[in-house]
Amino acid sequence: MCIFCKIINNEIPSNIILENEEFMAFHDINPKAPIHVLAIPKTHVDSFNEVSPQTMEGMTKFMQDVAKEMGIDKSGYRVITNVGDNGGQEVKHLHFHIVGGAKLAWSHLSDADPMGKF
Ligand code: 5GP
Ligand code: ZN
């Protein structure tokens, strides 16, 4: 069972922000911003590549609710999902990073350096 499925099953503790039958949101263990939340479906899906449009419909509303719950819906935030090796996906259970609470730099995406090395 993957690490996020263990979190869903309460086998690994997490700091839950919001949850319903289908989705769960909890604080990232290694936050990259003042607010760094992970939103996941409770049914295991490997990545964005495999998720159904139907699941994304519910996920969209859920993430909007998480942003409101964290009080960042007005100030702004970023939603990120990493896919596969080049995307830097470490946990192979679909998750969306919801990051905010400060003015975010774009520069941490520059490590891809699309105009330089490649
Ligand atoms: P990825 O690199 O796959 O897009 O992101 C995985 C994220 O999961 C990382 O930001 C990492 O800090 C977070 N993470 C990994 N293990 C745990 C855990 O056991 N608990 C929590 N809350 N976050 C985790
Ligand atoms: Zn899983």
Side-chain angles (χ1 to χ4, degrees):
M1 189 186 291
C2 91
I3 191 166
F4 286 175
C5 282
K6 285 183 181 165
I7 285 177
I8 291 159
N9 283 348
N10 264 322
E11 290 174 36
I12 295 176
S14 69
N15 205 338
I16 299 172
I17 290 152
L18 209 62
E19 132 171 73
N20 62 26
E21 268 189 22
E22 281 183 279
F23 307 105
M24 188 170 167
F26 51 91
H27 289 279
D28 194 295
I29 205 168
N30 183 21
K32 299 285 198 295
I35 291 170
H36 187 167
V37 173
L38 301 174
I40 64 174
K42 287 188 173 176
T43 302
H44 182 97
V45 178
D46 284 349
S47 82
F48 187 72
N49 266 340
E50 291 82 17
V51 73
S52 71
Q54 290 75 24
T55 298
M56 284 309 300
E57 188 177 341
M59 180 58 98
T60 299
K61 173 72 168 67
F62 183 72
M63 291 193 287
Q64 291 166 347
D65 289 346
V66 169
K68 278 194 199 109
E69 178 70 24
M70 297 309 294
I72 56 172
D73 54 317
K74 301 281 193 301
S75 55
Y77 56 96
R78 190 170 291 157
V79 177
I80 302 164
T81 189
N82 297 322
V83 183
D85 287 345
N86 277 1
Q89 184 183 4
E90 283 173 11
V91 178
K92 307 297 194 258
H93 179 131
L94 173 66
H95 53 282
F96 292 87
H97 300 256
I98 300 169
V99 187
K103 185 91 178 166
L104 300 171
W106 188 242
S107 58
H108 59 270
L109 293 180
S110 68
D111 59 355
D113 197 14
M115 306 306 283
K117 284 184 226 157
F118 303 110

